[in-house]
Amino acid sequence: MNAQHVIRTEALVAGYGGATIVDGIDLDIPTGRISVIVGANACGKSTLLKTISRLLPARAGAVLLDGKRIEDIPTKELARTLGLLPQQPVSPEGIVVAELVGRGRHPHQKLFRSWTTDDDRAVTEALAATGILDLADRAVDELSGGQRQRVWIAMALAQETDILLLDEPTTFLDVSHQVEVLDLLADLNAARGTTIVMVLHDINMAARYADHLFALRGGRLIASGAPADIVDAELVREIFDLDSLVITDPVSHTPLVLPRGRHHVAAAG
């Protein structure tokens, strides 16, 4: 079981240039659980995740890790606690899979310390967990989009952090691989107690895998809680401007959002 680090935000404000994208958000992220940030395009999901990870500086408010402002934590110390998979990572040209995954071990390396058997173990386990052990010697730029995404997830797993932030980890994956990746993250959470925070566009996948949801609209937090407690037709309308029917998923017993498109409403009438 991992150490139970606590991460939260207080009145967090962030953005780019002259634009404020995240405006006064307070999050208490459940420790050792899976949280998912949901909302429409351009509502601030990725900006919020980048600010929590310190990839983007806060304009006001604070991100706190174990009560300490995140900008005051030394970079390598932070990287041993908090890992980030950004939305569109770029790999160095010509790098092979095992080498890229191995870069996840950098926070654990000390000056002049050579590669260890523990590093080998972490990389092998990460490759196996993501189903890409047979790709270890392949060049990353030769892989499909879905394969590359699994390589990046493997690198994040090899980092072996107590907190893992993932921005759209199912990007480029078909539905079967989406389920595989989300199952993998759920297994990681169950086995290691890793605190996982994800951005997902698919509210049904979010409701299936999240212990806790944070729903954003226009850069503000409008709802927070367990999927069964907050996902209803009113919330879907508020965050997506979409009419829907929300029922219980017969497979996962979580909320299932059925959109009402214009043609479906006409047909029902």
Side-chain angles (χ1 to χ4, degrees):
M1 180 71 70
N2 280 355
Q4 296 296 292
H5 294 284
V6 176
I7 189 164
R8 63 194 306 266
T9 73
E10 293 180 349
L12 188 64
V13 178
Y16 307 90
T20 295
I21 308 298
V22 168
D23 192 5
I25 288 185
D26 296 307
L27 297 185
D28 285 302
I29 296 171
T31 300
R33 311 300 294 275
I34 297 176
S35 297
V36 178
I37 304 168
V38 296
N41 289 342
C43 73
K45 300 186 299 295
S46 293
T47 301
L48 175 58
L49 201 72
K50 288 177 183 176
T51 311
I52 292 172
S53 71
R54 207 173 72 178
L55 197 61
L56 181 69
R59 290 182 171 177
V63 178
L64 302 174
L65 177 60
D66 297 332
K68 184 184 294 187
R69 294 179 72 94
I70 202 165
E71 62 267 26
D72 296 334
I73 301 173
T75 298
K76 209 159 188 179
E77 178 184 333
L78 180 64
R80 287 194 293 267
T81 302
L82 188 153
L84 171 69
L85 176 63
Q87 193 172 65
Q88 293 180 318
V90 178
S91 61
E93 187 175 352
I95 194 170
V96 300
V97 168
E99 184 182 352
L100 182 59
V101 174
R103 293 193 176 191
R105 300 301 298 163
H106 176 70
H108 302 278
Q109 306 273 318
K110 294 182 179 178
L111 195 61
F112 306 124
R113 196 201 79 169
S114 60
W115 190 264
T116 68
T117 55
D118 198 45
D119 295 323
D120 278 329
R121 172 201 55 77
V123 169
T124 299
E125 287 180 0
L127 291 168
T130 50
I132 55 171
L133 198 55
D134 59 330
L135 302 178
D137 297 323
R138 291 274 301 278
V140 174
D141 51 17
E142 294 177 358
L143 304 179
S144 70
Q147 289 171 325
R148 284 195 300 270
Q149 188 72 351
R150 282 188 277 167
V151 173
W152 285 107
I153 291 171
M155 190 186 79
L157 295 185
Q159 195 172 334
E160 293 188 320
T161 57
D162 300 328
I163 300 168
L164 186 56
L165 310 179
L166 305 105
D167 194 355
E168 285 292 333
T170 55
T171 298
F172 306 122
L173 302 181
D174 60 36
V175 67
S176 65
H177 287 121
Q178 288 179 38
V179 171
E180 282 183 19
V181 166
L182 293 172
D183 279 346
L184 164 66
L185 295 171
D187 290 342
L188 176 69
N189 169 257
R192 300 184 185 176
T194 304
T195 298
I196 293 175
V197 185
M198 291 186 279
V199 168
L200 292 178
H201 276 297
D202 188 329
I203 192 169
N204 289 327
M205 284 295 194
R208 274 193 170 196
Y209 285 92
D211 299 304
H212 197 93
L213 290 179
F214 296 107
L216 271 57
R217 180 184 174 97
R220 294 181 179 272
L221 181 68
I222 62 167
S224 173
D229 294 337
I230 69 168
V231 177
D232 57 20
E234 182 178 349
L235 180 72
V236 174
R237 186 178 301 109
E238 189 170 3
I239 63 176
F240 294 113
D241 291 321
L242 177 70
D243 287 332
S244 66
L245 174 66
V246 178
I247 64 173
T248 299
D249 188 319
V251 175
S252 61
H253 308 293
T254 54
L256 177 64
V257 177
L258 305 176
R260 294 183 188 272
R262 287 182 295 106
H263 296 283
H264 306 125
V265 172

